Amino acid sequence: MSRLRAVGAGALHLWPVALVLVLWDLWVVLNGYTATVAPRPWDVIADVVDGFGDYLPYTAYTLGMSLGGLVGGTIVGFVGAVLVWWSAALSGVVTPAALVIRSVPITAMIPIIARVVGYGDPAVLASTVLICFFPAFVFTLSALTAIPDSGRDLFRVLGAGRAQLLGRYGVLHALPSLMVSVRITAPTAVLSAMLAEFLMGANGLGALFSRARSYMDMERAWGTALVATVVSVVVFILARLLERRVADRVS
Amino acid sequence: MPSTLSRPAPERAVAPGAPPRSAVSISGADKVFTLSRGRTLQALDAVDLQITEGEFVAIIGPSGCGKSTVLRLAAGLDTPTNGTVEIFGAAPRTLAAQHRLGVAFQEHALLPWASVRENIALPYRVAGRRVDDARVDELIELVGLGGFEKARPKQLSGGMRQRVSIARALVLSPDLLLLDEPFGALDAVTRRKMNAELARIWAEERITTILVTHDVDEALILADRVVVMSGRPGHVRTVVDVDFPRPRGPETTRSPEFHALVDRLTALLDAPEPM
Amino acid sequence: MITGARTTTRIAYAAAGALLLVVGAQLIGQFELAGKAWPPLTDVLAYVATPSGSSLIQRNLLVTLGAAGQGFVIGSAVALLGATAALLVPILRPGLDRFAAILNAVPTIALAPLLITTAGREGTPAVIAALSVGFVMFVATTSGFAATSAPQQDLLTVFGASRRRRLALLELPRSVPAFVDGLTLAAPAAILGATIGEWFGAPQGIGLLLVSAMQNYQMALLWAAALAATLASLVAYLLLVQMQRVAVRRFS
Ligand SMILES: Nc1ncnc2c1ncn2[C@@H]1O[C@H](COP(=O)(O)OP(=O)(O)OP(=O)(O)O)[C@@H](O)[C@H]1O
Ligand SMILES: [Mg+2]
């Protein structure tokens, strides 16, 4: 009973979403837009529901690319940070460079990756991996350099070496920061997968969107945007759930 | 300052007749900390502290007088700016490297992701030894945390966390035990109970121990000698031998001699030093 | 003394890192390790040095920066107002918080069809920039408001402070560091948002330059545009980090 009520309250708190749908519909109707300019929300939702089979492979592709990039980039970034932490000199050299590369806008990175890697799946995946790599690297490294003195002291009096400090303390201490990076990059991974797909136009929601736009199929274009939003929000919520789980377990 | 009280012959673990070995030897230790913008702070000034094997020494003194700093020197966590520190005739680091050092820090430093049991077993893991479950259980009982084996630090009270940290310091039966206000967060009753347990362990294992405390009674219940420190910069003001017979139960703490010594030490803590 | 020496080594390391980055990029280009699409940096710089190249980059960069700047200001202002409203009207709060999380996850590309209809091709970059900034800033500001500790709240309640006073005395000043923190993230987000907007058929801008250079295989131009966008983003970020340092010193 209280569970039911909690779900009800949760749904009530989604009022801004409902408001957006209503405003969207009003805006279309009041301006008298035709379906080729701006479709009504109900038509878009109907298109997604009716064309579920059409959307599915594209959605799966984008989801796969985003999650693959998110997991891959995060792991590579974490391992890279751990390796670099091992040497103070190396981390001093690499960290500023990583910060610079991190500020390359993905809109500048993707065209270059597309040209260097070649159009296709590897380029899409490379984009998402690279974009998730740098935050994971930076967050992990800064957590490792901020290992509390009390932890350091503890392992020193226990006679632990650097490897033990890392394995028994550093890695777990850095885990919450890594999860913050996962949460922050999760929507970016979806965005960059879509931008790469949009630019290269072979597969995925980005490509579907690009195609619908050039055929002036506005319901499909808006539908793609809607599905992409849902995918991104779901990935984000999952990442946030994971972050909370980990933070709860580790601290 | 020898006390007039007699005590029974000590039952040291050392072979009879052999001269007691030096466990901790701090000689002329200064400690100067470098603060930001080139300012410095002298925390210790020519501290001398000689402790023989199997001895229990308490350090008391006002807050900020450098007690923790002395302990950190003995643990090898800091090096003195001048002077020398030797533990069992070697550099302090050696003892830690051989996993023969037990430390309970002022801020307990438990691993937040590990259970009480895992925290207490950590020294075994770091030393690469098989965890002796019976020993861990024994210590959990000893510090009164039976039933909390699986709890994680955030589910414990401050005093319970301190007790975990004491158990962790004891688990490997170290050769040198450093305790920095280990009972600070405990209520008076639990505190005395833990004092009695610590006294019992010490009587059994004769671990050379340095205990930092603010509680004069506690120092007198536990220690062979009490080192009184003063601040700015930190130095040793007096060393008082404590010769009450062990075990020091309520009869001891209620005795007029005990009260006299408490009063004397408390006065030393309060009063400014004669110049 | 010691801290001075540390700073020097840090700067030396950072310089070494920068050098490594530049030399690495140059060598990869020189020996075509990544194919023809990765030109030597010297080629890129030579291209930027030509009058036509430099004026092309400069012109487009200014357009992008204009859109990003507009979006930055509008987005931050609206987010601040929204977060304050959410704070003052508690009943709105859970809904708006949840909405902010959702907005933060909306891939900005998904907004393009809406914006092309409403804002037109020229206006889209600034609007996407504003939305990107707004999402980031709303989240940062609400978390800043939430950062006031319970004892501080209790203290003011005990003193009988009204809601408005509490906002002025406690929540607004306390949220400044988080707000400025958000700004450091929002500045690059503004530039990213503007360039995404330009991908959808804007007549000018770095984003447009990037796409057309890619499609026409003009590698020097592509890299020059990417460098310009990166530099702009980096400079904006560093400026705001400086501002953040000041804010942190002043307000926490
Ligand atoms: N790492 C450090 N850097 C600078 N100053 C320090 C450092 N550690 C200790 N100090 C200073 O040295 C002095 C002695 O500190 P210490 O922690 O040894 O005091 P204490 O006697 O243990 O005090 P308390 O009873 O409050 O724990 C203090 O003035 C403290 O500010
Ligand atoms: Mg202390």
Side-chain angles (χ1 to χ4, degrees):
Chain A
M1 197 58 212
S2 67
R3 208 190 153 77
L4 210 70
R5 186 174 301 172
V7 171
L12 264 186
H13 290 319
L14 287 176
W15 60 264
V17 176
L19 190 65
V20 165
L21 287 180
V22 170
L23 287 180
W24 169 8
D25 197 41
L26 277 179
W27 167 74
V28 172
V29 172
L30 292 182
N31 283 303
Y33 288 139
T34 58
T36 45
V37 182
R40 299 179 60 171
W42 331 116
D43 296 339
V44 172
I45 293 170
D47 185 66
V48 174
V49 172
D50 295 343
F52 183 73
D54 296 345
Y55 282 98
L56 193 61
Y58 294 97
T59 311
Y61 181 87
T62 301
L63 193 63
M65 285 295 169
S66 317
L67 289 180
L70 189 60
V71 172
T74 303
I75 290 174
V76 176
F78 187 71
V79 172
V82 165
L83 292 180
V84 163
W85 174 79
W86 207 264
S87 142
L90 200 59
S91 63
V93 169
V94 172
T95 312
L99 275 173
V100 172
I101 299 184
R102 212 187 140 187
S103 41
V104 180
I106 50 180
T107 41
M109 209 184 266
I110 291 171
I112 291 179
I113 294 174
R115 274 295 162 226
V116 171
V117 181
Y119 278 29
D121 302 350
V124 177
L125 194 62
S127 307
T128 50
V129 166
L130 210 60
I131 275 141
C132 299
F133 168 81
F134 285 102
F137 178 84
V138 172
F139 271 86
T140 307
L141 194 58
S142 75
L144 286 178
T145 38
I147 287 180
D149 285 342
S150 59
R152 239 174 241 281
D153 287 351
L154 171 67
F155 278 79
R156 269 172 74 186
V157 301
L158 291 177
R162 218 169 154 70
Q164 293 238 25
L165 176 63
L166 183 70
R168 296 191 190 280
Y169 195 90
V171 166
L172 285 160
H173 172 74
L175 219 48
S177 305
L178 187 74
M179 289 304 129
V180 172
S181 126
V182 168
R183 169 176 46 86
I184 293 177
T185 39
T188 322
V190 178
L191 173 65
S192 50
M194 283 192 65
L195 285 176
E197 292 159 1
F198 177 78
L199 205 60
M200 295 179 248
N203 206 338
L205 288 173
L208 185 64
F209 175 64
S210 163
R211 221 166 299 155
R213 203 171 69 107
S214 49
Y215 292 131
M216 296 301 282
D217 183 352
M218 276 306 150
E219 269 154 26
R220 190 48 54 99
W222 285 63
T224 315
L226 192 67
V227 172
T229 303
V230 171
V231 167
S232 185
V233 169
V234 166
V235 170
F236 173 75
I237 289 174
L238 287 181
R240 198 171 59 172
L241 229 85
L242 186 70
E243 185 203 359
R244 291 200 179 145
R245 268 279 167 83
V246 169
D248 189 52
R249 181 64 192 83
V250 163
S251 61
Chain B
M1 200 147 287
S3 165
T4 50
L5 286 156
S6 67
R7 74 168 165 188
E11 334 124 12
R12 290 278 147 80
V14 189
R21 251 199 322 160
S22 158
V24 176
S25 165
I26 299 177
S27 315
D30 297 340
K31 181 68 195 175
V32 179
F33 287 110
T34 313
L35 307 176
S36 58
R37 301 200 193 94
R39 287 178 301 127
T40 59
L41 181 141
Q42 180 157 17
L44 295 182
D45 178 30
V47 168
D48 279 303
L49 186 59
Q50 307 298 329
I51 301 176
T52 54
E53 195 169 4
E55 207 180 359
F56 195 124
V57 171
I59 303 180
I60 60 174
S63 180
C65 73
K67 304 181 295 295
S68 297
T69 307
V70 170
L71 231 52
R72 291 177 63 83
L73 292 184
L77 289 171
D78 269 324
T79 47
T81 314
N82 293 307
T84 57
V85 178
E86 278 190 1
I87 309 294
F88 295 109
R93 296 266 177 91
T94 323
L95 201 71
Q98 295 168 343
H99 316 294
R100 291 161 57 208
L101 177 63
V103 182
F105 294 98
Q106 198 166 359
E107 63 304 310
H108 45 77
L110 301 179
L111 306 187
W113 46 81
S115 67
V116 164
R117 165 168 273 288
E118 289 161 346
N119 264 297
I120 296 176
L122 179 69
Y124 282 108
R125 300 241 155 76
V126 171
R129 293 185 207 158
R130 215 179 49 77
V131 177
D132 182 347
D133 289 315
R135 171 80 178 157
V136 175
D137 285 333
E138 182 194 338
L139 280 163
I140 291 176
E141 276 316 313
L142 184 94
V143 296
L145 286 176
F148 287 93
E149 291 88 348
K150 293 215 175 67
R152 290 206 285 125
K154 68 174 170 194
Q155 297 160 336
L156 303 179
S157 73
M160 290 160 100
R161 285 181 214 157
Q162 276 189 326
R163 285 184 270 159
V164 176
S165 136
I166 294 166
R168 184 180 62 195
L170 284 168
V171 74
L172 289 185
S173 302
D175 289 356
L176 176 63
L177 181 62
L178 305 175
L179 303 172
D180 197 346
E181 295 177 35
F183 309 121
L186 299 186
D187 65 284
V189 175
T190 316
R191 187 169 189 144
R192 289 292 166 259
K193 213 152 57 187
M194 296 294 299
N195 288 163
E197 289 297 342
L198 184 59
R200 193 176 60 71
I201 295 171
W202 180 81
E204 276 171 18
E205 308 195 9
R206 280 306 161 100
I207 303 171
T208 313
T209 305
I210 309 181
L211 166 78
V212 169
T213 180
H214 281 137
D215 182 341
V216 176
D217 288 46
E218 179 172 286
L220 292 178
I221 290 171
L222 288 167
D224 296 322
R225 277 191 295 155
V226 176
V227 175
V228 183
M229 287 185 65
S230 271
R232 332 228 145 228
H235 62 276
V236 175
R237 188 166 172 186
T238 356
V239 180
V240 178
D241 283 322
V242 186
D243 289 344
F244 302 114
R246 293 176 187 269
R248 295 171 182 163
E251 323 76 61
T252 313
T253 52
R254 285 196 210 106
S255 69
E257 293 89 345
F258 190 91
H259 284 284
L261 204 48
V262 169
D263 289 345
R264 209 178 103 209
L265 290 178
T266 310
L268 278 174
L269 286 179
D270 269 348
E273 272 176 282
M275 278 294 143
Chain C
M1 279 309 287
I2 293 173
T3 48
R6 266 203 209 122
T7 318
T8 320
T9 29
R10 236 198 4 248
I11 291 173
Y13 281 154
L19 198 70
L20 204 71
L21 199 64
V22 170
V23 171
Q26 170 70 18
L27 288 181
I28 291 174
Q30 198 98 56
F31 296 106
E32 297 194 0
L33 296 177
K36 290 229 184 301
W38 189 310
L41 277 188
T42 41
D43 286 12
V44 178
L45 293 182
Y47 173 78
V48 176
T50 61
S52 66
S54 77
S55 81
L56 185 64
I57 295 285
Q58 208 179 356
R59 211 161 0 98
N60 285 285
L61 186 61
L62 283 180
V63 171
T64 302
L65 286 182
Q70 251 177 309
F72 185 72
V73 172
I74 296 170
S76 318
V78 171
L80 184 59
L81 287 179
T84 311
L87 183 70
L88 291 181
V89 189
I91 211 171
L92 297 182
R93 191 145 178 194
L96 281 178
D97 281 353
R98 198 158 299 186
F99 192 52
I102 293 176
L103 281 186
N104 210 19
V106 173
T108 22
I109 181 177
L111 300 168
L114 164 72
L115 295 178
I116 291 165
T117 317
T118 47
R121 292 185 193 285
E122 283 183 45
T124 299
V127 179
I128 292 197
L131 286 168
S132 310
V133 169
F135 300 168
V136 172
M137 291 314 297
F138 184 80
V139 174
T141 314
T142 37
S143 78
F145 284 151
T148 55
S149 63
Q152 291 172 328
Q153 292 277 9
D154 292 347
L155 183 73
L156 285 188
T157 312
V158 169
F159 286 147
S162 69
R163 191 73 203 83
R164 279 232 318 279
R165 294 231 69 152
R166 215 150 72 194
L167 185 69
L169 285 178
L170 185 61
E171 276 134 357
L172 280 180
R174 277 291 294 214
S175 69
V176 168
F179 186 78
V180 184
D181 231 22
L183 288 182
T184 62
L185 296 176
I191 292 176
L192 176 63
T195 48
I196 291 180
E198 287 161 2
W199 276 22
F200 297 98
Q204 273 188 51
I206 287 286
L208 174 72
L209 220 52
L210 284 163
V211 174
S212 71
M214 184 199 76
Q215 282 164 348
N216 302 321
Y217 232 106
Q218 297 163 293
M219 283 306 132
L221 176 59
L222 174 57
W223 278 76
L227 277 184
T230 303
L231 277 181
S233 180
L234 193 61
V235 167
Y237 172 74
L238 292 178
L239 276 179
L240 283 155
V241 166
Q242 279 311 315
M243 210 173 116
Q244 177 200 22
R245 297 235 164 99
V246 176
V248 166
R249 220 174 303 147
R250 177 72 188 74
F251 287 98
S252 62

